[in-house]
Amino acid sequence: MKTVGAVIFAQNNSSIDYVKLAIFAATQIQTFLNIPVSIITDSSDWMLKTYPKESTIFDQIISIENTSTSNQKRFNDGTLSSKFLEWKNLSRNSVYELTPYERTLVIDSDYVINSSVLSSALFSDHNFQIYKDSVSLSSWRDNTEFKRINQFSIPFYWATTFIFEKTLEVKSFFDIIDYIKSNWQYFRTLYSIEVPTFRNDFAFSIAIHLMNAKTAGMFAQELPGKMLYISDRDLLISIEDKKIKFLIEKENHLGEYTSVSLSNTDVHIMNKLSLSRFIDGGSGV
């Protein structure tokens, strides 16, 4: 029988403890999907010293080298606070070699599993599944950036969450991502991507386009449901008894929010600082 499990990448920067987020994400996965979870991190020694008890939740702790770069990204914390922090995002293409499982769910540490919706995908016949369609919990924002990698180009796919099986075809896909990363400025120009910094979402989108021979092919199958997300300009309030509560930024009202709640639903919480506060003390506000 094939081994099935999840992996979470966690590479800390000066203000965000991704390991802490990964520990919380792992508890959610085990609660709702009941599969083993491994962590891929450049902070394994620090993690074992800081979270000796909590670290036992992981099936395996997989160490990678620190991929510190000059990449900086603005991290918002609601509408009134933001900071530029280091952004480590260059290891995702290595997951094919790093995962200890034959069939793997990969999630970002800020993706909160709060339902069993992905259970069927874990045991389907598809070799590669990912989200393309997405829904923001804000009804007024322009979210065209998550539809195509530019307004005239190929569809946007989320590298936030995906499931793959180790096959030669899927290995070729990750080899292509590695090549795209190594030649990012060329592919950025070819696909008219305005953002200079390498992004996994863009690389995955381009690689899927190439795997489909630049047509509407069938390499990537859609995961169940849609990718739901909140912006980092929104805030998490709480996660309790399958219910998640948020404060969503109001249009044209800086610093004001609308309360929204979801039940039995997975959500990508882009405001990592708010998620971190919730894990620490029960409220992300």
Side-chain angles (χ1 to χ4, degrees), residues 145-208:
E145 64 175 307
F146 300 129
K147 303 299 181 184
R148 294 183 174 275
I149 63 174
N150 70 54
Q151 61 178 327
F152 304 110
S153 190
I154 61 175
F156 179 98
Y157 287 86
W158 293 81
T160 303
T161 308
F162 57 94
I163 295 173
F164 73 91
E165 186 161 324
K166 285 192 171 183
T167 67
L168 290 176
E169 181 186 38
V170 174
K171 184 179 186 305
S172 297
F173 170 74
F174 283 103
D175 288 343
I176 290 172
I177 293 175
D178 186 57
Y179 184 77
I180 292 169
K181 186 178 74 172
S182 299
N183 299 275
W184 176 240
Q185 293 309 316
Y186 167 78
F187 281 97
R188 177 187 161 228
T189 301
L190 181 64
Y191 284 87
S192 301
I193 296 171
E194 295 182 1
V195 180
T197 305
F198 174 83
R199 278 183 55 180
N200 288 304
D201 298 322
F202 290 156
F204 273 58
S205 301
I206 294 169
I208 290 169

Side-chain angles (χ1 to χ4, degrees), residues 83-143:
K83 59 179 71 175
F84 281 92
L85 299 171
E86 185 180 21
W87 188 29
K88 302 178 184 179
N89 69 328
L90 300 177
S91 302
R92 188 65 55 93
N93 61 294
S94 302
V95 70
Y96 185 94
E97 304 296 337
L98 293 172
T99 179
Y101 312 111
E102 294 171 280
R103 191 169 183 85
T104 304
L105 165 66
V106 183
I107 69 166
D108 281 350
S109 58
D110 60 357
Y111 191 79
V112 175
I113 300 293
N114 204 49
S115 77
S116 59
V117 70
L118 292 180
S119 292
S120 61
L122 286 168
F123 301 96
S124 78
D125 294 330
H126 300 307
N127 292 331
F128 187 81
Q129 300 168 82
I130 193 169
Y131 280 119
K132 177 167 67 72
D133 294 332
S134 60
V135 175
S136 169
L137 295 188
S138 167
S139 61
W140 59 267
R141 289 195 186 103
D142 178 6
N143 296 306

Side-chain angles (χ1 to χ4, degrees), residues 4-284:
V4 177
V7 300
I8 306 172
F9 283 83
Q11 294 177 267
N12 293 348
N13 61 31
S14 60
S15 294
I16 300 175
D17 183 349
Y18 284 90
V19 169
K20 177 175 64 179
L21 303 188
I23 291 169
F24 177 76
T27 64
Q28 295 293 111
I29 290 173
Q30 292 193 345
T31 298
F32 290 96
L33 301 179
N34 193 29
I35 58 174
V37 184
S38 293
I39 186 171
I40 300 174
T41 181
D42 58 2
S43 308
S44 55
D45 291 340
W46 177 88
M47 179 181 75
L48 291 170
K49 291 178 182 178
T50 308
Y51 301 109
K53 181 179 178 180
E54 295 87 345
S55 296
T56 59
I57 193 171
F58 294 113
D59 178 35
Q60 294 189 35
I61 298 171
I62 302 166
S63 295
I64 57 174
E65 292 184 3
N66 187 324
T67 55
S68 295
T69 68
S70 59
N71 286 350
Q72 295 281 312
K73 176 183 175 182
R74 180 191 293 275
F75 288 78
N76 291 306
D77 184 12
T79 60
L80 300 177
S81 177
S82 68
K83 59 179 71 175
F84 281 92
L85 299 171
E86 185 180 21
W87 188 29
K88 302 178 184 179
N89 69 328
L90 300 177
S91 302
R92 188 65 55 93
N93 61 294
S94 302
V95 70
Y96 185 94
E97 304 296 337
L98 293 172
T99 179
Y101 312 111
E102 294 171 280
R103 191 169 183 85
T104 304
L105 165 66
V106 183
I107 69 166
D108 281 350
S109 58
D110 60 357
Y111 191 79
V112 175
I113 300 293
N114 204 49
S115 77
S116 59
V117 70
L118 292 180
S119 292
S120 61
L122 286 168
F123 301 96
S124 78
D125 294 330
H126 300 307
N127 292 331
F128 187 81
Q129 300 168 82
I130 193 169
Y131 280 119
K132 177 167 67 72
D133 294 332
S134 60
V135 175
S136 169
L137 295 188
S138 167
S139 61
W140 59 267
R141 289 195 186 103
D142 178 6
N143 296 306
T144 53
E145 64 175 307
F146 300 129
K147 303 299 181 184
R148 294 183 174 275
I149 63 174
N150 70 54
Q151 61 178 327
F152 304 110
S153 190
I154 61 175
F156 179 98
Y157 287 86
W158 293 81
T160 303
T161 308
F162 57 94
I163 295 173
F164 73 91
E165 186 161 324
K166 285 192 171 183
T167 67
L168 290 176
E169 181 186 38
V170 174
K171 184 179 186 305
S172 297
F173 170 74
F174 283 103
D175 288 343
I176 290 172
I177 293 175
D178 186 57
Y179 184 77
I180 292 169
K181 186 178 74 172
S182 299
N183 299 275
W184 176 240
Q185 293 309 316
Y186 167 78
F187 281 97
R188 177 187 161 228
T189 301
L190 181 64
Y191 284 87
S192 301
I193 296 171
E194 295 182 1
V195 180
T197 305
F198 174 83
R199 278 183 55 180
N200 288 304
D201 298 322
F202 290 156
F204 273 58
S205 301
I206 294 169
I208 290 169
H209 181 59
L210 296 176
M211 289 295 294
N212 287 332
K214 301 182 180 181
T215 65
M218 299 296 291
F219 169 71
Q221 298 294 315
E222 192 90 5
L223 283 167
K226 294 184 178 181
M227 166 71 71
L228 268 66
Y229 64 92
I230 67 163
S231 163
D232 60 0
R233 293 177 63 84
D234 306 318
L235 297 165
L236 168 68
I237 300 175
S238 64
I239 304 172
E240 186 178 5
D241 297 329
K242 297 185 180 181
K243 178 177 283 188
I244 311 181
K245 296 180 180 179
F246 303 100
L247 292 177
I248 305 300
E249 177 189 14
K250 284 186 178 181
E251 185 178 12
N252 299 323
H253 291 276
L254 189 65
E256 296 184 19
Y257 302 88
T258 300
S259 177
V260 173
S261 64
L262 298 173
S263 295
N264 203 37
T265 306
D266 304 342
V267 186
H268 183 198
I269 300 177
M270 294 187 185
N271 190 335
K272 301 166 182 62
L273 295 163
S274 182
L275 176 58
S276 180
R277 284 194 298 274
F278 162 74
I279 295 170
D280 284 340
S283 176

